[in-house]
Amino acid sequence: MLKINNLHVKLEEEDKQILKGVDLEVPAGKVHAIMGPNGSGKSTLSYVLSGRDGYEVTKGDATLDGEELLDMEPEERAAAGLFLAFQYPVEIPGVGNMTFLRTAVNAQRKARGEAEMSAADFLKFIRAKAKDLKIDADMLKRPVNVGFSGGEKKRNEILQMAMLEPKMCILDETDSGLDVDAMKLVSEGVNALRDEGRSFLVITHYQRLLDHIKPDVVHIMAAGRIIKSGGPELALEVEHNGYADILAEIDA
Amino acid sequence: MSTAVKAQAALISADARPASGAWAADARADAASRLAAMGLPTRRDEYWKWTRPDSLISAEPASADVFDNQGETLVFHDIDRLKLVFVDGVFDADASDALDGEGLEIERLSMAATKDIHWAKDLYGVLETAGQTPVQRPLAVYNSAMATDGVVIRVTKTPTRPVSLIYRHEDPVSDVILHHVIRVEEGASLTLLENGAAAARFNQVTEVDVAKGAQFHHVRAQGRDHDRQAVTHIFARVDAESVFKSFTMTVNGKLTRNECVIDIIGDEAVAHIAGAALGDGAESEFHHDDTVFITHDAVACESRQVFKKVLKNGAKGVFQGKILVKPDAQKTDGYQKSQSLLLDDDASFQAKPELEIYADDVICSHGSTTGAIDEEALFYLRSRGVPTPIATDLLVLAFLADAIEEIEDEDIAAEITGRLDAWLTRRRG
């Protein structure tokens, strides 16, 4: 599904290399997790894959289902099936959540040459998805993320994911700012979307999210590279011993 | 002899003014002599610093092609309303509804002016004159002297439907001066709709007297003819416990200067004035000027100014807004917001927000900002698959939303939003 090959990225504004040769492959239907200390480049990876401005790819590439991702505009990546659940979802005053979602769903359909969804069908669709995530009608009417609590914002991200039905979902520290109940709700939302045709890349600091969203593979990222990969037990190891042991092991 | 001097010379001659009965002749002669003393605006006037008056006072108007509506229905088409149609300033009786309605007395100014006595005498040119201090507005004086027609409306109850003034523009060189006088009697309520370019060059004055406990709601969609020019003045007197609300949508138009002068004279009154302007200088010039002066001269009144402009391709926006709070106007709540969204580096916005406060127990604030599209929001929308042009337009509409929210009637507000959306969509191609 997602293949990242020797990806090197620096900040456009300053001559600072953030990613220094990331290699990663997430097969269809699998959940991979990336853990790593602050500043290791985890969030940069998610932004570069989704097409945010301000980064320059100096070497390497990334493909989604064989299509070269890095040449596409952000909206083309989305239409191709990539979805990034933001660490800090953006507030957009004046744009209703429902309008936003309908515009997004129909824009993606149009880009894929599919018919737009009728207003009635859309309403039915969104109500069913919102109910699962305990998102009430009021939250759908309000402007995008404005006045939402941390938990509400993250649930809104998952709602968008459920509505857009992407192939490749990247979750950037979706657990940050969530209490236990909210984390459970968000995880259930993600788990409901797990499917053999859909892959996930879960970026997190903490093992506890991975108790809820069970990964197939865990990668440890440090200093702009994947330094170790393993099964779910790797996350537990980090939880008990921190990153120091792994980093020392690599340096040795 | 400059055109301005010629225009003035024509003005002081009684022959140049429309035929009138006693009261109107007096009012017009008074306006002509006031104008002769005042003179027409010049580029050197502080009040005209950012908007050049030259093309508004030249002897002949610049030609403006008539906008091709391409079969599109006109604004407010689906709103049930009493329609009064002017074609290049000439009343079109066949296209208009009968001049009556429950709680309404409507007359054409040209008819009312021929009478020797008329209630409009107490308002025509009177509110306009009051609005000449402390800042002079010569083009409104010119209007009072020279207006050929308009409507005179007295509202005694709450009519079942809005009064809608439709200004059609057919002659590419028409030069039209209309003057309306409206009195909303105690406890009555009127919604006034206006749309259309009216002329190549349009000078409009509306004097509105809102009596105690009365309501006046005004929603205007200015003409989309690219080269049309308009200078409009609203002079409102707002009495106790009454509500005055005015909203203007402007898309296209080479030059627009909308002045609004509001005197709040009775306690606990509310006056809101809002505008949403969208200008793209690519097809023709776009210069839009909102000039507002609100005077609080009563206790516990609220005023709001919400002006939003979206500008690109050399489009220019101007805002001059003042709140004057007189010494006895305690508990005043005055708020002024003027914001522009510049979609490229060529667009420009000038703002002069002013507060002058002589009472000590007041809440007054103003905020004037100029900004670009929020890149974070844009990326967020694009990351969900919304293409840049559509995402930009969503953010533009969002930016305009709080001006549109000033329209109280939901159907009319939806109509305005729909028109703005359509304008944006057409430009996306």
Side-chain angles (χ1 to χ4, degrees):
Chain A
M1 176 72 68
L2 178 69
K3 266 190 199 168
I4 303 169
N5 173 37
N6 194 26
L7 190 64
H8 286 69
V9 172
K10 68 173 185 123
L11 289 179
E12 227 165 46
E13 299 275 305
E14 31 189 318
D15 198 22
K16 190 177 169 192
Q17 203 72 31
I18 309 286
L19 301 183
K20 301 166 182 169
V22 176
D23 288 295
L24 182 68
E25 180 171 355
V26 186
K30 298 296 181 191
V31 176
H32 282 213
I34 296 184
M35 302 181 74
N38 285 329
S40 57
K42 304 188 300 292
S43 285
T44 297
L45 178 64
S46 73
Y47 285 140
V48 169
L49 291 174
S50 59
R52 191 192 184 101
D53 281 345
Y55 302 97
E56 189 186 333
V57 176
T58 52
K59 208 195 277 182
D61 57 36
T63 58
L64 180 67
D65 254 356
E67 280 187 88
E68 185 52 62
L69 257 186
L70 304 179
D71 294 342
M72 294 186 217
E73 295 296 325
E75 53 266 40
E76 293 170 330
R77 300 179 198 209
L82 184 78
F83 182 93
L84 169 66
F86 281 54
Q87 182 180 0
Y88 303 108
V90 180
E91 296 186 5
I92 312 183
V95 177
N97 214 10
M98 193 91 102
T99 306
F100 161 56
L101 274 164
R102 197 174 54 235
T103 308
V105 166
N106 282 331
Q108 290 205 14
R109 283 175 161 246
K110 202 175 162 197
R112 290 194 293 258
E114 298 164 15
E116 292 194 358
M117 204 184 264
S118 75
D121 285 348
F122 176 82
L123 210 58
K124 227 177 358 191
F125 188 44
I126 195 169
R127 280 191 182 139
K129 302 281 186 193
K131 199 175 164 220
D132 293 342
L133 287 159
K134 296 197 168 63
I135 289 174
D136 58 21
D138 182 53
M139 248 175 90
L140 292 177
K141 270 189 225 150
R142 272 150 60 189
V144 180
N145 293 325
V146 177
F148 286 25
S149 69
E152 285 174 332
K153 282 181 180 166
K154 296 301 170 80
R155 263 148 60 203
N156 202 30
E157 292 293 289
I158 306 305
L159 173 67
Q160 292 167 39
M161 196 159 94
M163 295 294 295
L164 295 168
E165 301 179 315
K167 292 191 284 200
M168 179 72 229
C169 309
I170 303 172
L171 278 62
D172 186 10
E173 303 202 18
T174 294
D175 50 339
S176 71
L178 293 189
D179 60 28
V180 181
D181 292 335
M183 180 140 63
K184 208 166 157 235
L185 202 59
V186 164
S187 305
E188 280 167 8
V190 172
N191 287 330
L193 291 169
R194 287 182 75 158
D195 180 277
E196 57 188 35
R198 184 172 291 134
S199 311
F200 291 85
L201 186 61
V202 181
I203 295 171
T204 181
H205 272 294
Y206 304 106
Q207 191 271 335
R208 56 177 191 168
L209 179 67
L210 305 179
D211 283 342
H212 299 283
I213 307 172
K214 300 256 189 277
D216 297 298
V217 177
V218 174
H219 306 277
I220 307 296
M221 192 165 179
R225 264 191 219 99
I226 304 287
I227 56 164
K228 190 171 184 181
S229 302
E233 70 284 352
L234 191 54
L236 289 168
E237 192 188 322
V238 168
E239 183 76 2
H240 293 305
N241 307 332
Y243 293 110
D245 288 0
I246 298 170
L247 293 175
E249 195 182 308
I250 299 301
D251 286 340
Chain B
M1 198 158 57
S2 77
T3 47
V5 173
K6 267 195 283 187
Q8 251 175 286
L11 273 172
I12 25 185
S13 144
D15 295 344
R17 297 195 292 273
S20 320
W23 75 269
D26 289 351
R28 284 163 168 163
D30 175 65
S33 63
R34 282 188 289 127
L35 184 66
M38 187 183 292
L40 288 163
T42 71
R43 279 189 212 175
R44 286 186 299 275
D45 292 347
E46 177 69 16
Y47 220 47
W48 290 86
K49 191 172 167 185
W50 291 315
T51 298
R52 290 191 162 186
D54 309 47
S55 63
L56 296 171
I57 60 176
S58 60
E60 301 293 333
S63 158
D65 283 343
V66 175
F67 190 76
D68 177 8
N69 281 314
Q70 292 165 337
E72 185 182 352
T73 58
L74 294 169
V75 189
F76 307 131
H77 181 262
D78 294 330
I79 309 277
D80 182 28
R81 62 215 158 110
L82 191 152
K83 294 194 277 285
L84 302 175
V85 180
F86 289 86
V87 181
D88 292 306
V90 178
F91 185 69
D92 183 340
D94 293 339
S96 302
D97 291 326
L99 297 189
D100 61 43
E102 201 196 328
L104 275 179
E105 288 170 27
I106 307 185
E107 265 175 288
R108 289 169 53 200
L109 173 68
S110 55
M111 299 297 176
T114 58
K115 296 175 182 165
D116 283 334
I117 301 172
H118 197 280
W119 63 264
K121 172 181 184 290
D122 295 335
L123 294 175
Y124 186 95
V126 174
L127 300 187
E128 174 262 294
T129 302
Q132 297 296 334
T133 37
V135 187
Q136 294 185 333
R137 305 167 201 280
L139 291 173
V141 187
Y142 175 71
N143 180 302
S144 292
M146 301 294 283
T148 51
D149 210 347
V151 290
V152 175
I153 305 177
R154 199 165 79 92
V155 190
T156 52
K157 291 181 192 161
T158 298
T160 50
R161 52 185 184 162
V163 170
S164 174
L165 303 177
I166 298 162
Y167 305 121
R168 282 170 46 200
H169 170 213
E170 290 183 356
D171 174 359
V173 291
S174 54
D175 196 13
V176 169
I177 306 171
L178 295 180
H179 193 123
H180 309 309
V181 175
I182 298 164
R183 174 160 169 87
V184 190
E185 299 286 0
E186 195 168 322
S189 172
L190 176 73
T191 297
L192 178 72
L193 306 176
E194 292 181 284
N195 68 285
R201 181 168 67 183
F202 186 32
N203 180 328
Q204 181 193 353
V205 165
T206 306
E207 291 172 289
V208 187
D209 191 25
V210 189
K212 189 181 175 200
Q215 297 213 5
F216 177 73
H217 296 273
H218 174 225
V219 179
R220 165 166 67 173
Q222 294 187 297
R224 285 194 279 142
D225 309 45
H226 286 289
D227 291 321
R228 64 123 186 95
Q229 303 190 65
V231 54
T232 77
H233 290 81
I234 296 171
F235 296 95
R237 183 165 64 191
V238 181
D239 210 338
E241 294 157 38
S242 68
V243 173
F244 170 95
K245 283 196 173 188
S246 174
F247 170 90
T248 300
M249 170 178 80
T250 312
V251 296
N252 304 347
K254 187 166 148 188
L255 177 62
T256 308
R257 163 101 161 193
N258 292 331
E259 294 197 24
C260 187
V261 184
I262 302 173
D263 278 328
I264 306 178
I265 58 160
D267 298 346
E268 292 175 43
V270 170
H272 289 199
I273 170 145
L278 274 173
D280 181 349
E283 283 160 89
S284 67
E285 283 172 56
F286 181 89
H287 182 109
H288 184 93
D289 176 337
D290 286 301
T291 290
V292 180
F293 200 112
I294 298 183
T295 304
H296 281 263
D297 197 10
V299 176
C301 296
E302 172 191 295
S303 72
R304 292 272 174 281
Q305 299 169 52
V306 183
F307 287 92
K308 300 273 187 150
K309 295 177 177 65
V310 180
L311 307 165
K312 66 175 174 181
N313 288 318
K316 292 186 174 68
V318 174
F319 174 80
Q320 305 188 97
K322 180 158 180 173
I323 305 174
L324 170 63
V325 181
K326 295 222 174 158
D328 293 331
Q330 300 296 358
K331 310 276 180 204
T332 287
D333 177 359
Y335 177 69
Q336 182 191 79
K337 177 152 87 176
S338 85
Q339 298 180 321
S340 71
L341 181 61
L342 305 183
L343 296 180
D344 56 39
D345 294 340
D346 296 336
S348 67
F349 176 60
Q350 310 280 358
K352 187 179 176 189
E354 287 179 282
L355 300 176
E356 192 176 330
I357 302 170
Y358 296 101
D360 47 25
D361 182 14
V362 302
I363 305 168
C364 272
S365 64
H366 64 79
S368 182
T369 62
T370 304
I373 282 278
D374 178 350
E375 290 295 333
E376 286 284 316
L378 189 64
F379 174 67
Y380 190 67
L381 292 169
R382 293 177 71 196
S383 78
R384 298 308 182 237
V386 183
T388 308
I390 297 177
T392 303
D393 288 350
L394 264 180
L395 295 175
V396 164
L397 279 180
F399 171 77
L400 297 173
D402 47 352
I404 298 164
E405 274 164 22
E406 288 293 333
I407 302 171
E408 209 148 282
D409 184 294
E410 283 183 17
D411 291 338
I412 297 173
E415 167 78 0
I416 292 292
T417 303
R419 294 288 160 168
L420 291 166
D421 194 14
W423 188 90
L424 292 165
T425 305
R426 274 194 301 275
R427 258 149 198 78
R428 285 205 302 267

